[in-house]
Each structure stands twice: as structure tokens, then as C-alpha cells.
Amino acid sequence: MTGAERVYAAVGIGRARHARVDGDAPRRRRDTDRNTPRHDVPLPPSGPAPAPESAPAGAWDDGLIARRVIEGAAAPEPVAVVETRGPSAQALAAPLAYDGPLRARLDALRELVGLSRTRLDSRTLAEAGRVLDEAAARRRLSGQHTVVAIAGATGSGKSQLFNSLAGVTISETGVRRPTTSAPIACSWSDGAATLLDRLGIPGRLRRRPVQSVEAEAQLRGLVLIDLPDHDSAAVQHREQVDRVLALVDAVVWVVDPEKYADAVLHERYLRPMAGHAEVMFVVLNQTDRLPGEATEQVLDDLRRLLDEDGIALGEYGEPGATVLALSALTGDGVGELRESLGQFVAERGAPARRIAADLDNAAAGLRPVYATRRRIGLSEEARDEFADRLAEAVGATAAGEAAERAWLRNANRACGTPWLRLWRWYQDRYDSPTGRFPLRNQADEEATARQRVEHAVRTLSERASTGLPAPWAQAVREAAVRGSQGLPEALDELAARAGLPPGRPPRPGWWPAAVLTQAAMTILQIVGGLWLAGQIVDLMAPNLGVPVLLMVLGIVGGPLVEWSCRLAARGPARRYGTDAERRLREAAAGCGRARVLDPVAAELLRYREVREQYARVTGVGATAGVGVGAG
């Protein structure tokens, strides 16, 4: 048995268990049962109820304070409408002004929503849009008024507390439940008409309290709203509660000793509104039903439940919810609540704090689609690898090697011996190329190149989207896929334009000298041969030494010149091939950057921008851990 259960065991009250409302969980009595009399507790006789002092000890009713009425007050007291003394209605209706930090956060949220509309669905941005709309609407209305709603469950006594604060019976109380069927407003000063119009409260449900000048001055600027029961059996009542709670500046939650731990209250309202603790009052009503120190024990248990809900308590000078205990029936503690409300309203800060809390809630809801703890973006390594894959797909390395071979082949043709060149011409003319070079199917090469391009794009998109929230990761992948359409064809055209230039490769300056030397070696061979032939046919005097020497010099010198030229041509040929490969790589990388990298980088930059705006919305400041490369 918990401490709270022991308290209730001591005082004889059946506490409603603080249990989640599941399909298998026992459900408590609903409002549909409250219109019928309860048989476990004796009902008071008809007519005016006796005063609390005359009630015997332990002769309690079922906890519905509204069933107790003060002796002699059978008929409700007429509500008097008086003019407020003090500033004019026009002065009190001055528009609300947000401070600099709150305006900056709202502007950042507006920018964030604008940047995200094409990336996120409308349901994700709905709450942020609602906060912006409500902040703009509230800013146009009075900043000298504070709208406070009194909310509670059936039988919690919120209507009687409303009447006690007003000093006159405004909201109907009674045995029949639910009593409050529509929100009722009570304003302590003029100029609140536009605020009540925003809440949708008609003129017939707007009241003014009959108060002394002192009490009126204490609560000047307060607009108090009595709401229907949040657990009402009537769906339209619950809808009105939810609608008004989203518009008011602050809330006074009224709970009673029986249902302060009600699961519906905590799970549907208090826990989701934990961020609104600074504009929240939690009032334990009906303390006159708790004997001795039971009130403090119930208050401690209530604070524990609020702490479990994540609601900060305004104790020891810390900002948070105000927790009070009172009895609207006897008036005990009502003065303390009135004083707290007076100080709260006099600060004129509740509307801005409410908007700031709504901002925090909206930012928390958007966190999964904006926040990430990982560093995102494309590294230099990823971009270089993408360029290498595209160069491989376009055949840059093979093109460079082909250019190098073409340069060497041209050098051999220019500096080789005539006899070797004649032999190569003969081979090229009469030998079948299929026996010396394997031929590949062009369709197979195109298919292989396309697969390489698709694999490069897929790898890049996966690396770029790693660590991003799901919507932005999807946007990055879609940008990469759109850019990859037509990329293989573009690379093919690029390879045709940026490949080997037409004609022969350029010749270095030493080629003419090498050609002349080779020609001289050939002339020596021809001269020597003719000289020997002339001696054979007796046209010339016999002299074998000179013609043989000339022929040997020509025969040995020709291959020697060719070998020397081949060695000298390796460096220029390698540079020529490297330049050809580099041009093709740069062209392929430029094509990939324009079609894929730039769109992906644009999505990453957009995410970086919205992430920075999100950081401003949350008030964190500059974004950390976001690195985006433009490629």
C-alpha cells in the first residue's frame, strides 16, 4: 500500500488509481453514470443543505463539492456588472508586444516552415503552423489582459472556485452533472472583448464580478474562464475544453482528493502540457474533507505525480507550476490563490510565456525531422571516389593509355627505319585484326558503363544521406536519382568530345633532327649498296672498304636512331596520355558534379539552413556537427 493509499485508508476516501487507460484496464465511472444517484453514499435531503459546521463528522457526500451550498443561498445571487475604475478600455486593449528573443524564435519558425514545405508533409508542419497563427493572432490583441482558464473534472468544484474568485455566483453549481455546458467568462477590467471573441464566448456568457475597489485592483487585467468538465460524457464539452485550452494564456487545474491521480487528466492533459508549467496552477480543492495532516500528504503525492509527468514545480524560487491547496466551499486558501493570480496577472508575461511554451512543444515535435547528432555531408574522399567511378565508367584510364600508345606509334613511324615501317605497313594491310586484338561487344560495354554509373550514384546518395532525418535523407536520394537520369548518355557524348583530338599527336622539337638522321642512315645504306653494285658490274673501280663501311653505318645507325628516339619518346608519350586521361576525368567529374553532386549538395545546404533555423527556434544558437560539401 502506497503512502497516498494509506492516507485515503485513514480518511475513508476511495482514491482513483493512477493507472493508464488501456483496453484491459478497469475503467472508472464515466459521466453517463453521474446523472443517476449513487447508492453507496447517502444523498442530502431536498432543499437547502445544512451548513458545514452542522454536518456530523464523517457524514460526507460523494466528493462533489457543488452539492454543498451555503445555507441561505438557495437562489443564485444576481450578477452585477460594474464599470472598472482605472485605465480606459482603450488603454487596457493595447496590443501585446513580444520581446526580442521570442520574436526571433517566431521568425525562425516561420522561416523554417517556409523552407520545409516542399520537403515535409503538411501534417508534420501543422502544429508549427498553428503556433505561428496563434502567436500572430494573440499579438494583435490586448497585452494588458491575461486569460486564465479554470479546468477540472466532474465534481472537482471548479465552478464554485470560479464563483469564489469572482465574489458572486456566476457559474451554476448543483447536483446534476455536468453543470457547466459552455465556457463562461468573467473579466476584471474593460478591453477584453476581442480576446473573448477569439475564444468564441458569446456576449450572454460574459460577466463582470461585484468586487471592492481593492479586490478589483488586485485582479485588474484578469479574464477568468470557467470551462466544462474535461471528462464530460458530452463530446462537444470535451471539444470545447480542448479548443479553449489551446488559446488561453494560463490554466488553473482544479483537482479533488478523489481523482487528483486520474489517468485521463495526467495522460491527456498534464503530461502533454508539461512544458507549460510556468503558466499552470494546480489547485487541490475540497481540503475541508481531509482531516488533520492528510492535506499535506495528498499535496506531496500530487507533487510526486506532477514530477513524474515532467512538470516543473515553482518552488524555492524556481520557475514552474504553482501548487496550492484550498477549499472553495469554506474559502480557506482562496485568498492565497487570488493573491498568486494577482501577482501573475500583474507581471503581464503569461501570454508571451504561453507562446514560448507552445514554441518549445512545436520544436520538440519537429526534432525527429531536423535534429541529428551525426556530422552529415559529403567528404572530399566521397566526392573523389564518385569522380573516379565516373572516370572508370567513361574509360578515362583506357583513353589515356590509348593516347600514349598513339604518341609512341607516331614517333616510331616518324623515326623508324624505312624497312621496318614497310614491314609494319604490310602486317597492317594483310593480317586480320581479330587474331591479335580481342573484340568486345559494344552493347556489353555500354551496359557495363551504365551499371558503373548507377552504382556510383547509389553509393554517393547513400553516403550523403547517412545520418540525415528520414525526410531529408529521402530528398537527397531523390535528387541523386533525378540527376542520374541521362548521365550515362551524357558521359558517352563527353567522351566523344573530350577524347583524343583529331589528327596526329603533336611532335616535339627534336623530331625533325631525328627524321633527318634516320634519312641520312638510309641514304648511307643506299649509297653503299649502289657503290657495291657498280663495282660488281665493273662501272666503278674496285674498293670494298668504303661502300661496306657506308652500308654498315647505315644498317647499324638506323636501328640505333630508332631505339634512341623510342627512349626519348617515352616521357612525352606518357605526358600526352596523362593529359588525355586528365581531360576526360575532369570532363566526367564536371558532368557528374553538374547533374548529381550539385543537386545533392543543394539538398544538404537546405538541410543545413533549416537545421540552423531549428536551432534558433529552440534557442540553442548555432548549429554544431553539420558539415556540407558543395562538391
Side-chain angles (χ1 to χ4, degrees):
M1 179 179 294
T2 63
E5 291 170 344
R6 287 195 293 270
V7 172
Y8 284 107
V11 299
I13 298 178
R15 171 189 172 189
R17 301 286 183 180
H18 182 244
R20 292 186 177 272
V21 182
D22 298 325
D24 300 328
R27 300 183 180 271
R28 59 178 178 80
R29 178 186 300 267
R30 305 300 296 176
D31 289 315
T32 52
D33 302 326
R34 297 186 182 275
N35 292 333
T36 58
R38 293 179 57 176
H39 301 289
D40 55 333
V41 179
L43 294 175
S46 59
E53 291 79 9
S54 62
W60 296 343
D61 56 16
D62 63 345
L64 305 180
I65 290 297
R67 294 184 179 182
R68 290 188 174 184
V69 291
I70 302 176
E71 185 176 6
E77 186 177 339
V79 180
V81 179
V82 298
E83 295 296 331
T84 304
R85 302 178 183 179
S88 65
Q90 184 177 2
L92 285 173
L96 176 64
Y98 296 142
D99 59 9
L102 182 56
R103 286 201 309 271
R105 294 182 63 192
L106 289 171
D107 292 342
L109 182 61
R110 188 174 298 106
E111 184 72 15
L112 180 67
V113 171
L115 291 171
S116 305
R117 288 193 185 278
T118 58
R119 300 298 181 270
L120 305 178
D121 58 84
S122 58
R123 290 176 298 178
T124 303
L125 299 173
E127 179 62 17
R130 187 197 69 81
V131 171
L132 288 173
D133 293 341
E134 297 302 337
R138 184 63 180 91
R139 186 176 183 179
R140 292 191 294 266
L141 303 179
S142 172
Q144 304 301 314
H145 289 83
T146 301
V147 183
V148 180
I150 296 184
T154 303
S156 60
K158 57 182 177 56
S159 296
Q160 191 156 19
L161 177 60
F162 180 82
N163 295 336
S164 297
L165 291 172
V168 63
T169 302
I170 295 178
S171 185
E172 180 185 358
T173 62
V175 174
R176 184 177 178 271
R177 303 295 177 202
T179 300
T180 306
S181 59
I184 301 175
C186 181
S187 176
W188 269 257
S189 55
D190 295 325
T194 55
L195 286 169
L196 296 177
D197 291 341
R198 177 172 175 250
L199 297 178
I201 299 179
R204 60 184 177 83
L205 297 179
R206 303 179 187 182
R207 304 289 186 268
R208 290 290 298 275
V210 177
Q211 293 283 359
S212 63
V213 175
E214 179 181 357
E216 196 171 315
Q218 184 183 26
L219 297 179
R220 176 171 293 134
L222 173 63
V223 180
L224 199 61
I225 311 295
D226 184 22
L227 295 179
D229 303 329
H230 69 73
D231 59 349
S232 173
V235 177
Q236 61 271 25
H237 292 183
R238 300 196 301 269
E239 291 176 348
Q240 288 190 66
V241 171
D242 295 342
R243 178 184 61 83
V244 175
L245 284 179
L247 301 176
V248 296
D249 301 325
V251 185
V252 177
W253 289 102
V254 181
V255 298
D256 61 79
E258 285 185 352
K259 295 180 292 185
Y260 71 90
D262 181 35
V264 173
L265 171 65
H266 287 266
E267 294 182 7
R268 184 176 178 183
Y269 294 102
L270 295 182
R271 197 168 299 162
M273 295 185 66
H276 296 72
E278 293 188 40
V279 291
M280 186 185 299
F281 293 79
V282 182
V283 175
L284 176 64
N285 193 16
Q286 304 178 12
T287 57
D288 57 298
R289 302 176 57 195
L290 297 174
E293 299 179 353
T295 298
E296 290 300 325
Q297 296 180 20
V298 174
L299 269 180
D300 290 341
D301 197 45
L302 175 60
R303 292 188 182 98
R304 178 187 63 81
L305 294 175
L306 295 176
D307 183 69
E308 291 178 357
D309 292 333
I311 299 176
L313 302 181
E315 299 175 342
Y316 310 107
E318 296 293 330
T322 301
V323 182
L324 298 173
L326 54 81
S327 172
L329 180 64
T330 64
D332 184 25
V334 176
E336 183 181 358
L337 175 61
R338 183 181 289 109
E339 181 180 356
S340 297
L341 284 174
Q343 295 176 355
F344 182 77
V345 172
E347 294 174 358
R348 311 297 186 201
R353 288 200 292 269
R354 171 60 195 260
I355 295 299
D358 288 344
L359 265 176
D360 292 338
N361 271 8
L366 293 175
R367 182 175 180 81
V369 296
Y370 290 115
T372 177
R373 295 184 178 181
R374 299 185 59 178
R375 183 176 182 85
I376 59 97
L378 285 174
S379 63
E380 290 290 340
E381 180 184 359
R383 292 196 294 271
D384 292 343
E385 183 178 345
F386 178 67
D388 290 341
R389 291 180 181 272
L390 292 185
E392 182 181 357
V394 82
T397 303
E401 294 175 352
E404 182 177 353
R405 289 194 301 269
W407 206 98
L408 288 174
R409 186 164 53 251
N410 193 29
N412 292 335
R413 288 173 179 175
C415 303
T417 63
W419 326 116
L420 183 59
R421 293 169 61 185
L422 183 62
W423 173 250
R424 288 174 178 168
W425 173 83
Y426 174 80
Q427 283 187 328
D428 293 340
R429 183 178 179 85
Y430 293 102
D431 288 355
S432 173
T434 57
R436 294 184 287 115
F437 302 101
L439 295 181
R440 294 187 60 184
N441 191 331
Q442 184 178 2
D444 293 341
E445 292 181 353
E446 293 179 356
T448 302
R450 181 177 295 274
Q451 291 173 358
R452 289 175 178 174
V453 171
E454 293 175 352
H455 182 262
V457 173
R458 185 167 56 252
T459 302
L460 177 79
S461 64
E462 289 176 356
R463 290 192 176 185
S465 60
T466 300
L468 287 175
W472 302 98
Q474 181 66 23
V476 167
R477 288 191 290 267
E478 290 176 356
V481 170
R482 287 194 302 268
S484 67
Q485 296 175 356
L487 181 58
E489 293 78 6
L491 290 175
D492 290 341
E493 296 178 2
L494 185 68
R497 294 195 308 267
L500 295 178
R504 295 182 177 181
R507 298 181 178 182
W510 52 266
W511 275 26
V515 172
L516 290 176
T517 304
Q518 191 66 269
M521 296 297 103
T522 304
I523 291 173
L524 289 177
Q525 296 179 47
I526 294 173
V527 170
L530 291 176
W531 196 336
L532 289 176
Q535 293 181 16
I536 293 173
V537 296
D538 294 332
L539 293 177
M540 300 182 67
N543 186 1
L544 295 178
V546 176
V548 171
L549 179 60
L550 292 177
M551 290 187 66
V552 170
L553 287 176
I555 293 172
V556 174
L560 184 61
V561 171
E562 182 180 359
W563 178 77
S564 301
C565 291
R566 185 176 298 176
L567 289 179
R570 288 182 179 178
R574 187 177 297 110
R575 288 193 296 270
Y576 181 72
T578 302
D579 290 342
E581 180 180 356
R582 176 183 53 79
R583 288 194 304 270
L584 195 53
R585 281 182 175 273
E586 290 178 352
C591 184
R593 179 169 54 250
R595 288 178 170 268
V596 178
L597 274 179
D598 286 349
V600 168
E603 291 296 335
L604 294 176
L605 288 173
R606 178 186 288 268
Y607 171 73
R608 179 178 183 177
E609 187 174 356
V610 299
R611 181 68 179 89
E612 290 175 350
Q613 294 296 337
Y614 177 75
R616 295 188 181 98
V617 172
T618 58
V620 174
T623 305
V626 178
V628 179

